[in-house]
Amino acid sequence: MLHTVMPGAEDELKKGMATAYLGIDPTADSLHIGHLVGVMMLKHFQRSGNRPIALVGGATGMIGDPSMKSQERKLLDETTLRHNQEAIKKQLARFLDFDSDAPNAAELVNNYDWMKNFSFLDFIRDVGKLITVNYMMAKDSVKKRLSGENQQGMSFTEFSYQLVQGYDFLTLYRDKECKFQIGGSDQWGNITTGTELIRRTLGGEAFAITCNLITKADGSKFGKTEGGNVWLDRTRTSPYKFYQFWLNVSDEDAEKYIKIFTELSREDVEAIVAEHREDPGRRVLQRRLAQEVTTMVHSAEDCASAIEASQILFSNKAADALRRLDEATLLDVFDGVPTFEVERADIEAGIRLGDLLTDKAAVFPSKGEFRKMVQGGGVSVNKEKIADPQLAVSAEMLLNDRYIIVQKGKKSYNLLIVK
């Protein structure tokens, strides 16, 4: 999990309870799994008796961090930032203890609260004079943008980002005795600007701890799917799709991720890895990883539902499970299958299934083909085998009052959507 630990950090941690913060830019009203590495570090930090601070970057979110970005990001207004902050706190509460009276209870802060009344002239006089342009230009995040192929360079707004983040560290050091900042390895330059500000302003010593940026075994970006980010918010990424993401990672990635994204002990992880290697086809490692992370981010009930939904495609006795699926999960399970729209009036009129699946939706090329497959036991509706080619369709067949799943053979699925 760790990438770089500033010299002296371990000795400082041995002195007793320490305070560390992790900055999160509230660019959306949900965290995604790319945020999870830093959040897990804060979680471990609190579990070991230290005090975590989650900083939602209302001010820095208005600027945009240039680190490892090829172009400037869109800026957000205050109303959107406040909404995002509240949504993010609810998600963080699944990982961190904010509400107890323990001395190391977590705290959520927003840097907009101390930056909003800071005038530009005050900032460049009190903060800007402490850090040289040479120092700022030497940062990798700045050099990369200035030498980028797109020739867009970077705005002064983004160039000043490290000063604002550095001032955050200075503020938390001064007001909350926060001596540690945690972040991804791409944040090293921004974090060390903060330690430098603390040294030059207060003569204090502060420390950086960075985590590895997680990538897949093939070098591609972690946490991305064809549909974009894998979010922690169930309305953006359903628990089923969330579970599926972890279930489908490679063996190599699963072995790495289970050490980072779960609270399993070293002994448990080693035992699971050993069991997996005996028979990789059973995907023991991926199943346990998916179970642990889905339960942590959502709930045990959501995880159980996701597991049940995952088995629907491969079970001939899943009719009851299919009816229990909510609409979002149903659409996720059957994402990508051929889809047909049919009229509700036809369903209410009791149209015969053969007519529906040939005349109204081209699931079968002909009624003869339909009859032949029914007689051979190869047609199922909502995971129930059809024995009568003359069967009439009724409203009771509808899943979530508007869907019918038609299965041809073992693997060919079709989704009928009733308008």
Side-chain angles (χ1 to χ4, degrees):
M1 185 178 280
L2 293 176
H3 182 272
T4 309
V5 178
M6 190 174 279
E10 287 192 56
D11 291 336
E12 182 65 31
L13 286 169
K14 290 173 182 175
K15 293 179 182 178
M17 186 179 78
T19 301
Y21 92 90
L22 170 75
I24 300 169
D25 274 347
T27 47
D29 59 1
S30 173
L31 302 173
H32 54 73
I33 58 176
H35 292 112
L36 267 186
V37 190
V39 173
M40 289 302 292
M41 287 183 74
L42 271 193
K43 185 178 178 70
H44 286 304
F45 201 75
Q46 187 174 41
R47 284 180 68 204
S48 59
N50 297 293
R51 178 171 171 250
I53 296 176
L55 181 146
V56 175
T60 37
M62 287 182 164
I63 298 173
D65 180 5
S67 299
M68 305 307 163
K69 306 288 193 309
S70 59
Q71 57 188 11
E72 196 159 335
R73 67 167 54 154
K74 294 178 181 176
L75 309 185
L76 303 175
D77 59 69
E78 184 180 354
T79 303
T80 302
L81 288 166
R82 291 293 183 190
H83 165 75
N84 292 354
Q85 174 187 342
E86 289 307 308
I88 288 170
K89 182 178 182 181
K90 288 179 182 177
Q91 291 181 338
L92 288 172
R94 291 199 62 83
F95 303 87
L96 304 173
D97 169 21
F98 286 96
D99 300 322
S100 78
D101 55 3
N104 69 326
E107 185 177 355
L108 185 81
V109 297
N110 186 337
N111 61 8
Y112 184 73
D113 293 333
W114 57 78
M115 292 300 300
K116 62 184 177 183
N117 296 320
F118 210 157
S119 76
F120 176 71
L121 290 176
D122 286 341
F123 187 79
I124 59 172
R125 181 193 64 195
D126 297 341
V127 181
K129 70 177 181 180
L130 298 171
I131 301 293
T132 67
V133 170
N134 306 53
Y135 180 88
M136 296 171 71
M137 293 278 285
K139 302 294 185 182
D140 287 341
S141 58
V142 174
K143 288 194 290 188
K144 184 176 179 182
R145 280 291 295 277
L146 292 179
S147 61
E149 295 177 1
N150 59 18
Q151 299 300 312
Q152 289 182 350
M154 69 188 304
S155 67
F156 175 76
T157 303
E158 282 194 303
F159 182 61
S160 65
Y161 185 96
Q162 60 176 287
L163 284 180
V164 180
Q165 184 169 329
Y167 186 73
D168 289 342
F169 201 176
L170 174 62
T171 301
L172 293 176
Y173 179 93
R174 184 184 60 218
D175 298 348
K176 299 183 182 294
E177 298 183 16
C178 178
K179 294 186 178 182
F180 292 85
Q181 185 179 165
I182 290 170
S185 57
D186 61 332
Q187 293 296 307
W188 181 259
N190 293 334
I191 297 174
T192 52
T193 297
T195 63
E196 188 67 8
L197 270 178
I198 290 166
R199 186 184 68 79
R200 295 185 183 187
T201 307
L202 303 173
E205 190 175 23
F207 306 92
I209 300 176
T210 63
C211 53
N212 287 299
L213 294 179
I214 307 301
T215 56
K216 297 179 183 176
D218 62 6
S220 61
K221 191 170 183 180
F222 165 74
K224 289 280 189 177
T225 66
E226 290 179 5
N229 278 318
V230 179
W231 300 91
L232 306 196
D233 187 320
R234 63 190 306 126
T235 62
R236 288 172 174 259
T237 301
S238 70
Y240 168 79
K241 270 199 167 177
F242 187 86
Y243 178 87
Q244 286 292 315
F245 171 81
W246 301 100
L247 187 65
N248 290 313
V249 300
S250 69
D251 289 356
E252 187 177 345
D253 286 337
E255 197 166 320
K256 177 170 64 174
Y257 297 164
I258 200 166
K259 298 171 185 174
I260 295 171
F261 298 111
T262 75
E263 295 181 82
L264 295 172
S265 68
R266 179 189 295 267
E267 293 75 21
D268 285 342
V269 168
E270 288 173 351
I272 295 164
V273 169
E275 183 184 357
H276 177 84
R277 288 176 178 172
E278 288 177 6
D279 185 2
R282 289 174 54 215
R283 299 181 74 77
V284 170
L285 186 55
Q286 285 90 340
R287 291 179 191 281
R288 186 61 182 274
L289 170 67
Q291 177 190 337
E292 292 288 331
V293 185
T294 305
T295 299
M296 179 176 62
V297 170
H298 293 289
S299 69
E301 292 76 19
D302 285 325
C303 181
S305 297
I307 292 171
E308 186 177 57
S310 300
Q311 296 167 345
I312 283 174
L313 295 178
F314 309 104
S315 171
N316 294 322
K317 299 177 181 178
D320 291 340
L322 188 59
R323 289 201 170 274
R324 286 194 292 269
L325 293 185
D326 60 78
E327 184 175 16
T329 305
L330 179 98
L331 294 176
D332 283 343
V333 170
F334 294 98
D335 184 30
V337 307
T339 302
F340 303 91
E341 290 189 343
V342 297
E343 297 294 333
R344 187 171 292 274
D346 290 329
I347 305 296
E348 293 172 348
I351 187 173
R352 287 181 178 175
L353 184 62
D355 296 335
L356 181 69
L357 301 182
T358 53
D359 299 339
K360 305 297 182 179
V363 176
F364 291 90
S366 67
K367 293 183 178 66
E369 182 75 21
F370 168 74
R371 282 194 300 272
K372 182 178 178 183
M373 202 159 201
V374 169
Q375 289 163 355
V379 179
S380 297
V381 170
N382 300 336
K383 281 292 182 177
E384 294 181 341
K385 279 216 184 303
I386 301 301
D388 180 9
Q390 302 301 315
L391 179 70
V393 179
S394 67
E396 285 74 38
M397 286 185 180
L398 300 183
L399 304 171
N400 290 286
D401 195 40
R402 62 182 305 231
Y403 303 103
I404 298 174
I405 302 295
V406 180
Q407 186 177 354
K408 296 162 59 179
K410 289 186 177 181
K411 297 182 179 178
S412 178
Y413 288 92
N414 298 267
L415 174 64
L416 272 55
I417 303 175
V418 180
K419 295 192 295 179

